């Protein structure tokens, strides 16, 4: 998801962990904001949610429900250390992007001959899921052992997420409001939401591929000893294994 966030998340040295803990809550606010602004799956889903909303009241209502959902799971799952494989969580989040594009294009009516499920309930449910995805990433970062300090860092990260979300939504809603009054909006709205579906499918397969690497690493790369022998064969004068010099 977020490149800076991933850089922090993997292989954090003890010195780096302590540096983050000593850096204050502003560092976690910044991480939350950058994570939301570079979290393509979150942004694509939000784009789908607000795509056809024309009033500030409707935008506020749906965004509030989504925010409530992801705050619940982000805070509680992180605080109580409830987690799952983040590739699988992100794969399900990708399905939420596919769902929104499908719904926006009237998929339930055309394919299943039924009304769309309650949108407010769906947005809240997907908000819970998106919050769990945020939590699985946040739990890879140092949060400290003190329960109060840990809660404050979680809340700081959550504040950053909301700041990033507001910034992203401001741009999205502004662009959509401008585009909605153009003739091209009606012509290309179907294509735009098909784009959401295709992007969701791409993200889904990307996350499932990541999960396969994570769950079965030896299926995708040489075992360590074989990798060593290949490098030895590339420079026979520096071979380290004399037993391989004879048949």
């Amino acid at each position: 998801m977020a490149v800076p966030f991933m850089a922090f998340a993997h292989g954090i040295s003890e010195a780096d962990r302590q540096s983050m803990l000593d850096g204050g809550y502003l560092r976690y606010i910044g991480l939350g904001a950058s994570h939301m602004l570079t979290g393509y799956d979150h942004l694509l889903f939000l784009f789908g949610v607000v795509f056809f909303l024309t009033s500030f009241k409707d935008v506020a209502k749906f965004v509030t429900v989504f925010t409530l959902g992801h705050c619940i799971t982000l805070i509680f799952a992180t605080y109580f250390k409830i987690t799952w494989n983040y590739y699988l969580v992100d794969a399900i989040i990708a399905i939420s992007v596919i769902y929104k594009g499908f719904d926006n294009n009237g998929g339930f009516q055309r394919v299943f001959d039924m009304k769309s499920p309650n949108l407010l309930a769906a947005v809240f449910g997907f908000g819970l899921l998106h919050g769990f995805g945020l939590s699985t990433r946040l739990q890879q970062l140092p949060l400290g052992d003190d329960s109060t300090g840990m809660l404050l860092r979680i809340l700081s990260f959550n504040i950053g997420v909301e700041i990033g979300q507001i910034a992203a939504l401001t741009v999205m809603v502004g662009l959509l409001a401008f585009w909605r009054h153009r003739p091209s909006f009606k012509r290309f709205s179907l294509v735009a939401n098909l784009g959401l579906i295709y992007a969701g499918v791409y993200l889904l397969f990307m996350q499932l591929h990541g999960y396969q690497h994570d769950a079965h690493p030896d299926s995708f790369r040489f075992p360590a000893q074989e990798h060593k022998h290949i490098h030895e064969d590339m420079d026979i004068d520096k071979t380290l294994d004399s037993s391989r010099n004879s048949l």
Side-chain angles (χ1 to χ4, degrees):
M1 287 181 143
V3 174
F5 193 86
M6 289 298 291
F8 279 120
H10 295 286
I12 308 173
S13 70
E14 283 302 315
D16 287 340
R17 290 174 66 89
Q18 193 58 48
S19 173
M20 287 190 67
L21 291 172
D22 294 340
Y25 301 118
L26 283 176
R27 174 169 285 191
Y28 289 83
I29 292 175
L31 280 171
S34 65
H35 183 60
M36 176 54 76
L37 289 172
T38 54
Y40 308 117
D41 44 7
H42 301 295
L43 296 180
L44 286 170
F45 180 75
L46 281 172
F47 182 75
V49 169
V50 301
F51 192 85
F52 287 117
L53 301 181
T54 56
S55 71
F56 177 79
K57 180 181 177 182
D58 284 339
V59 171
K61 178 172 67 174
F62 281 97
V63 170
T64 299
V65 166
F66 178 74
T67 300
L68 179 63
H70 76 64
C71 284
I72 289 172
T73 44
L74 170 58
I75 294 169
F76 285 96
T78 308
Y79 189 78
F80 292 107
K81 299 179 181 178
I82 303 167
T83 191
W84 197 34
N85 184 283
Y86 54 79
Y87 285 116
L88 293 181
V89 177
D90 286 354
I92 300 173
I93 290 175
I95 293 174
S96 75
V97 177
I98 299 170
Y99 175 95
K100 201 67 203 79
F102 179 78
D103 185 31
N104 282 356
N105 275 343
F108 286 99
Q109 291 80 6
R110 290 186 293 103
V111 178
F112 299 113
D113 192 25
M114 61 176 282
K115 292 174 60 178
S116 297
N118 183 282
L119 183 56
L120 210 58
V123 170
F124 177 72
F126 284 128
L128 292 171
L129 176 63
H130 280 243
F132 191 51
L134 292 166
S135 174
T136 59
R137 299 291 180 163
L138 180 55
Q139 289 184 60
Q140 297 174 66
L141 296 177
L143 295 170
D145 299 320
D146 173 60
S147 58
T148 302
M150 182 171 71
L151 180 59
L152 290 174
R153 290 182 183 93
I154 295 169
L155 292 174
S156 297
F157 182 84
N158 192 61
I159 290 170
V161 166
E162 303 316 320
I163 292 171
Q165 180 173 278
I166 291 169
L169 279 168
T170 300
V171 174
M172 286 181 200
V173 172
L175 288 174
L176 285 169
F178 175 78
W179 186 30
R180 196 171 282 113
H181 296 95
R182 301 276 174 167
S184 61
F185 181 79
K186 188 172 290 186
R187 292 202 306 268
F188 290 106
S189 61
L190 175 66
V191 176
N193 283 285
L194 278 175
L196 275 184
I197 296 172
Y198 292 142
V201 169
Y202 172 77
L203 290 171
L204 172 63
F205 280 104
M206 188 174 70
Q207 296 301 337
L208 291 176
H209 180 71
Y211 172 71
Q212 287 297 317
H213 272 278
D214 194 46
H216 308 289
D218 288 339
S219 299
F220 293 90
R221 59 174 180 257
F222 293 116
Q225 191 63 26
E226 185 62 24
H227 189 76
K228 170 186 170 185
H229 289 327
I230 288 173
H231 277 278
E232 291 169 0
D233 290 340
M234 291 170 65
D235 192 351
I236 195 65
D237 292 334
K238 295 181 180 178
T239 183
L240 302 177
D241 188 354
S242 58
S243 67
R244 301 182 74 242
N245 294 332
S246 58
L247 296 176

